[in-house]
Amino acid sequence: MPAIAYLECVRCHHHVSAVTPQTLCPLCAGSLYVRYDMDELKRTARRDEIVPRAAASGASLGMWRYANVLPSGTPEKPVQPVTLGEGWTPILRSKRYPGLFIKEEGANPTGTFKARGLGLAVTMAKHYGLQHLAVPSAGNAAGALAAYAAAAGIAAHIFMPQDVPFANYLEGIVYGADVTMVNGLISDCARMVGENIKAQKDANTPANEVWFDISTLKEPFRVEGKKTMGYELVEQLGWTYPDAVFYPTGGGVGLIGMWKAFEEMEQLGWVTGKRPRMYALQATGCAPVARAYDEGKDASEFFQNAATFAAGLRVPKPYGDAIILDIVRQSGGEAIASTDEDILKSILDWAKHEGIFLSPEGAAATAAYDALLASGDLKPTDKVVLFNTGAGLKYTDMTAEAMHLRRPGTLPTRMPVGGIITPQ
Amino acid sequence: MPAIAYLECVRCHHHVSAVTPQTLCPLCAGSLYVRYDMDELKRTARRDEIVPRAAASGASLGMWRYANVLPSGTPEKPVQPVTLGEGWTPILRSKRYPGLFIKEEGANPTGTFKARGLGLAVTMAKHYGLQHLAVPSAGNAAGALAAYAAAAGIAAHIFMPQDVPFANYLEGIVYGADVTMVNGLISDCARMVGENIKAQKDANTPANEVWFDISTLKEPFRVEGKKTMGYELVEQLGWTYPDAVFYPTGGGVGLIGMWKAFEEMEQLGWVTGKRPRMYALQATGCAPVARAYDEGKDASEFFQNAATFAAGLRVPKPYGDAIILDIVRQSGGEAIASTDEDILKSILDWAKHEGIFLSPEGAAATAAYDALLASGDLKPTDKVVLFNTGAGLKYTDMTAEAMHLRRPGTLPTRMPVGGIITPQ
């Protein structure tokens, strides 16, 4: 595992030391990326070490199979992974489209890809000795933070919209997090996290009690964890690139992380050839990136009245919008939004014909795939890796409501309605 | 992959050919096990083939990494796996008990270990050309059958109690199964499947339209799929046995399958040493095996008024009860029941202190583990593999109800109450 050489601002390329925990670039508030000494890494990190190491470990390395390209700490103080088995998820061949692979992120702990970014970010928070982590979330990042913080013995403060899938609320409670349900969107949650931290600092709260904002792209390690999706898809395709990657885009950091992975892998000589076209997929009810793409803009505008049952896509203005748009355009991909109706149709289509119960976010990607097949812009033989970013089972309530589905019989459903929290 | 030599009755040892689909022993109604030519297998099947084959496949073999000990069909008609990425689940080290490993079956497709047995059984059903599969279920087997049947293009007829976790009902609907919600238990569901098949035969229904009963232990392949849990835990422990295996026991076929795996692995020379003590864990609200164990009986009696929020343990008389009791006693294990209160406590304990959200069934095992630590019958350093048979996220409604947890705010929950099915 390599030491971090420095953190680099993705916007102004300023370098910052990683010896103490960092948030944003102190000069321009850009996101910080982890950088290693790539010359040394070229000599020491080899892709053919990965399989023997994973086999020798017996137990499950998950995304830590890529330990040789993840932060190591120092010889005196090595990084100790906080792991729940995240990563190394299945890649499934479609039964209908010969070139299409589904990357099944629902197999992760807490049922979504969020486990990767928060697995690494909580690992580093523990390494730095942080004791309070706070996050605004559309739902799944909150659940993942609650789980990894519990595993690490760190306090989690999570803020999410009050109408998230019930599973997200329950996760927060069972993992023992400090849960705030907000009458608003993730953007309101982000504001509240910031206000709380400011108030703590203004009140001269002891440093180890001030919350650390672990929002994605506002600290360097969530993107670093998510980059493992890029390593995995390339390894699972025999160290080759597909023609295209379809990625449901709320915050869009998975897509950003994969692009970072591709850059690193090329520098290391682990993969060659043309990078995949990157498709950012959204819902028409919250499509800031797709709208900016269509309008030829470099950044998104705040998407008013965001509303879609694809809860994870309800991010009205992703912090990484400019980076996403740049990657999509550079790679020759597209940003496309689908209606909730088409997303639900695609959930049922995939469940009935492939036996795969997609999350609404994953189905935003399959719906766009269908549209591109229909328009002739894509062929069923094009090699595509499409991410199902979460388990359909995590959205039973949202999907049932979208289907107008009611449970038969006169029994009350087991899901309690309204009322107040009764802490266990 | 080996050809099936014959099917063997586990009770009277009668041999039956596997050329056509089989249910129970025609002589004594015992369960049929798949047998291979072990002399040939000893020459051809090697454990050190497994890692290179999995690595070469790139995509996810899952439980099919053990293809060399799973049915192959014939050279003219090879078995074609119907796979959704089941198996090869993480094995996680406890952060508190140095000898304890959690086998995380929640990472499987459909969120439970049921994917293994039904993955293999549907594979073989497709191989035989069966067109209608029926199953009585406490919930999770129904969801898994619905998924694999959808993937295989086979009709699924599922019967489950009307008060199963909502996720199980929704799975049945989204995967397009023929769903019957029964005002009763799995035993009533089993009776109804039998009555339907009898009525179909009495009415001279064409053979390819008569349902095939894919109940566990009433056909040979579900146990054969579940045996992969035994192979996996031994491989993940570096081809050694743990001291004990803790297994939540509804139908108990996972435990039975693992015992078969141990027998095969010993014959193949893949593992040596003392087999683990096998612990069958139940809930006091439905504890037929624990009761029979306590009373020194060879088989269980029907457990009246079965009731526990650990929905998967609501099996009032498992078909394999005698086999389970025999394995538990032979191995020096125990059958233990925990109260719903202790199960819920253990769910919260594990979520808060280890970051793992157990299913209620999994928590029946951790609750028993705690009890045995407290009594001194077990030490924290004893090497134990404990199965979390399903994802906690699949039980959001049951667990929330058990916690008396209500969603905050005045918004209606997204889970609809009562009423009738509106097919999508």
Side-chain angles (χ1 to χ4, degrees):
Chain A
M1 282 162 81
I4 298 172
Y6 51 85
L7 305 174
E8 179 180 359
C9 173
V10 69
R11 202 183 287 166
C12 78
H13 305 288
H14 180 58
H15 290 195
V16 181
S17 158
V19 169
T20 54
Q22 298 296 327
T23 53
L24 292 166
C25 173
L27 302 187
C28 76
S31 299
L32 296 174
Y33 276 17
V34 176
R35 299 296 185 197
Y36 309 98
D37 179 339
M38 294 307 281
D39 289 330
E40 197 198 324
L41 223 51
K42 264 184 249 184
R43 287 193 305 274
T44 58
R46 290 170 44 197
R47 71 181 198 197
D48 55 12
E49 299 165 345
I50 294 172
V51 167
R53 183 171 57 236
S57 86
S60 307
L61 283 185
M63 73 175 185
W64 291 95
R65 71 193 282 112
Y66 305 110
N68 56 12
V69 291
L70 292 172
S72 65
T74 58
E76 305 78 49
K77 193 184 169 193
V79 166
Q80 305 284 352
V82 176
T83 179
L84 299 169
E86 60 289 341
W88 199 239
T89 55
I91 187 165
L92 305 173
R93 269 185 177 283
S94 163
K95 297 172 200 333
R96 295 177 293 178
Y97 309 108
L100 179 57
F101 294 81
I102 302 293
K103 184 72 175 150
E104 181 48 277
E105 290 290 298
N108 277 303
T110 73
T112 77
F113 78 106
K114 296 283 182 184
R116 298 175 185 264
L118 284 155
L120 191 67
V122 171
T123 292
M124 295 306 295
K126 190 173 180 187
H127 182 72
Y128 287 125
L130 297 172
Q131 292 175 30
H132 289 268
L133 304 176
V135 81
S137 170
N140 286 320
L145 173 61
Y148 285 90
I154 296 176
H157 307 274
I158 62 183
F159 291 73
M160 51 188 159
Q162 63 181 347
D163 57 351
V164 290
F166 186 79
N168 294 135
Y169 172 62
L170 183 63
E171 286 178 304
I173 299 296
V174 299
Y175 289 123
D178 165 28
V179 180
T180 304
M181 304 298 279
V182 176
N183 183 6
L185 290 169
I186 188 175
S187 39
D188 302 291
C189 298
R191 188 176 37 78
M192 289 173 74
V193 168
E195 286 168 0
N196 270 279
I197 293 174
K198 182 172 184 307
Q200 290 158 7
K201 288 181 177 168
D202 289 349
N204 291 316
T205 306
N208 63 356
E209 291 174 25
V210 173
W211 300 353
F212 182 84
D213 184 350
I214 204 160
S215 297
T216 193
L217 290 183
K218 293 191 185 172
E219 61 75 57
F221 298 109
R222 284 178 64 185
V223 65
E224 195 65 8
K226 290 177 185 176
K227 84 174 183 187
T228 58
M229 293 191 288
Y231 280 89
E232 274 184 33
L233 80 87
V234 168
E235 181 179 355
Q236 289 177 323
L237 297 180
W239 300 105
T240 64
Y241 281 135
D243 297 315
V245 170
F246 276 54
Y247 197 78
T249 298
V253 181
L255 190 148
I256 295 172
M258 286 191 270
W259 201 249
K260 180 174 192 284
F262 299 157
E263 189 184 306
E264 290 176 0
M265 280 189 279
E266 290 169 10
Q267 289 180 29
L268 295 173
W270 290 12
V271 68
T272 54
K274 192 188 164 307
R275 286 195 203 171
R277 304 191 300 276
M278 303 299 281
Y279 288 79
L281 295 326
Q282 304 200 301
T284 50
C286 185
V289 174
R291 184 178 283 176
Y293 175 83
D294 285 341
E295 295 175 351
K297 293 186 178 150
D298 289 340
S300 69
E301 279 171 36
F302 189 93
F303 200 93
Q304 298 297 332
N305 305 314
T308 166
F309 85 113
L313 301 182
R314 288 194 310 173
V315 181
K317 178 162 171 59
Y319 200 78
D321 56 355
I323 311 175
I324 301 164
L325 284 158
D326 183 46
I327 293 169
V328 166
R329 291 196 175 108
Q330 228 190 93
S331 69
E334 281 184 69
I336 301 170
S338 298
T339 64
D340 275 16
E341 195 187 341
D342 284 344
I343 291 172
L344 178 60
K345 260 193 215 157
S346 202
I347 288 177
L348 296 172
D349 173 56
W350 274 79
K352 289 182 181 169
H353 298 112
E354 305 246 4
I356 296 175
F357 186 4
L358 298 168
S359 62
E361 296 86 353
T366 51
Y369 179 85
D370 286 349
L372 289 170
L373 280 189
S375 69
D377 289 341
L378 202 70
K379 289 191 294 290
T381 49
D382 289 344
K383 200 173 204 175
V384 174
V385 175
L386 184 151
F387 279 78
N388 182 35
T389 39
L393 285 170
K394 210 168 173 184
Y395 300 77
T396 49
D397 48 353
M398 311 295 268
T399 300
E401 185 183 76
M403 291 171 71
H404 305 292
L405 183 72
R406 287 164 182 279
R407 193 186 183 105
T410 52
L411 277 178
T413 168
R414 299 251 169 192
M415 179 69 72
V417 177
I420 48 163
I421 314 180
T422 310
Q424 64 301 338
Chain B
M1 282 162 84
I4 298 172
Y6 51 86
L7 305 174
E8 179 181 358
C9 175
V10 71
R11 201 182 288 166
C12 76
H13 304 287
H14 179 60
H15 291 193
V16 182
S17 158
V19 170
T20 54
Q22 298 296 327
T23 53
L24 291 165
C25 172
L27 302 187
C28 76
S31 299
L32 297 173
Y33 276 17
V34 176
R35 299 296 186 197
Y36 308 99
D37 179 339
M38 294 307 279
D39 289 330
E40 198 199 324
L41 222 50
K42 264 184 252 183
R43 287 194 304 275
T44 58
R46 291 169 46 195
R47 71 180 198 198
D48 56 10
E49 299 166 342
I50 293 172
V51 167
R53 183 172 54 236
S57 86
S60 307
L61 281 184
M63 73 174 186
W64 291 96
R65 71 192 282 111
Y66 304 110
N68 57 11
V69 291
L70 292 172
S72 65
T74 57
E76 304 77 48
K77 194 184 170 191
V79 166
Q80 304 283 351
V82 176
T83 179
L84 298 170
E86 60 288 340
W88 198 241
T89 56
I91 186 164
L92 304 173
R93 267 184 178 284
S94 163
K95 296 171 200 333
R96 296 177 294 178
Y97 310 109
L100 179 56
F101 294 81
I102 303 293
K103 184 72 174 152
E104 182 47 278
E105 290 291 297
N108 277 303
T110 73
T112 79
F113 79 105
K114 296 284 182 184
R116 297 175 186 265
L118 284 155
L120 191 67
V122 171
T123 292
M124 295 306 295
K126 190 173 179 183
H127 182 73
Y128 287 125
L130 297 173
Q131 291 175 30
H132 288 269
L133 304 176
V135 82
S137 169
N140 286 321
L145 174 61
Y148 286 90
I154 295 176
H157 308 273
I158 62 183
F159 291 72
M160 52 188 159
Q162 63 182 346
D163 56 352
V164 290
F166 186 79
N168 294 136
Y169 172 62
L170 183 62
E171 286 179 306
I173 300 295
V174 297
Y175 290 123
D178 166 26
V179 180
T180 304
M181 303 299 278
V182 175
N183 183 6
L185 290 170
I186 188 175
S187 40
D188 302 291
C189 298
R191 186 174 40 75
M192 288 173 74
V193 167
E195 286 168 1
N196 269 279
I197 293 173
K198 182 172 184 304
Q200 289 158 7
K201 288 180 176 164
D202 290 349
N204 292 317
T205 306
N208 63 356
E209 290 173 25
V210 173
W211 299 354
F212 182 83
D213 185 349
I214 203 159
S215 295
T216 193
L217 289 182
K218 294 193 185 170
E219 61 75 54
F221 298 109
R222 283 178 65 186
V223 66
E224 194 65 7
K226 289 176 186 177
K227 85 175 183 187
T228 57
M229 291 191 288
Y231 280 89
E232 273 183 35
L233 79 87
V234 169
E235 180 179 355
Q236 288 178 323
L237 296 180
W239 299 106
T240 64
Y241 281 135
D243 298 315
V245 170
F246 276 54
Y247 197 78
T249 298
V253 181
L255 191 148
I256 295 173
M258 285 191 271
W259 202 249
K260 180 176 193 283
F262 298 158
E263 189 184 305
E264 290 176 359
M265 279 189 279
E266 289 169 9
Q267 291 179 28
L268 295 173
W270 290 11
V271 69
T272 56
K274 192 187 164 307
R275 285 194 203 173
R277 306 191 299 277
M278 303 297 282
Y279 288 80
L281 295 326
Q282 303 199 303
T284 49
C286 184
V289 173
R291 183 178 282 176
Y293 175 83
D294 285 342
E295 295 175 352
K297 292 185 178 152
D298 291 341
S300 69
E301 279 171 34
F302 189 93
F303 199 94
Q304 298 296 334
N305 305 316
T308 166
F309 86 111
L313 301 181
R314 289 194 309 174
V315 181
K317 181 165 168 57
Y319 199 79
D321 56 357
I323 312 175
I324 299 164
L325 284 158
D326 183 46
I327 293 169
V328 166
R329 290 195 175 107
Q330 228 191 93
S331 69
E334 281 185 69
I336 301 170
S338 299
T339 63
D340 275 17
E341 196 186 340
D342 284 344
I343 291 172
L344 179 59
K345 260 192 217 156
S346 203
I347 288 177
L348 295 174
D349 173 55
W350 274 79
K352 287 179 183 172
H353 298 112
E354 304 246 5
I356 296 176
F357 186 4
L358 298 168
S359 62
E361 297 86 353
T366 51
Y369 178 86
D370 286 348
L372 290 169
L373 281 189
S375 70
D377 290 343
L378 202 70
K379 289 192 294 292
T381 50
D382 289 345
K383 200 171 202 176
V384 174
V385 175
L386 185 151
F387 279 78
N388 182 35
T389 38
L393 284 170
K394 209 168 175 182
Y395 300 77
T396 49
D397 47 353
M398 312 295 268
T399 300
E401 187 184 75
M403 292 170 72
H404 304 292
L405 183 71
R406 288 166 181 279
R407 192 189 183 104
T410 51
L411 276 178
T413 169
R414 299 248 170 195
M415 179 70 72
V417 178
I420 47 161
I421 313 180
T422 310
Q424 66 299 337

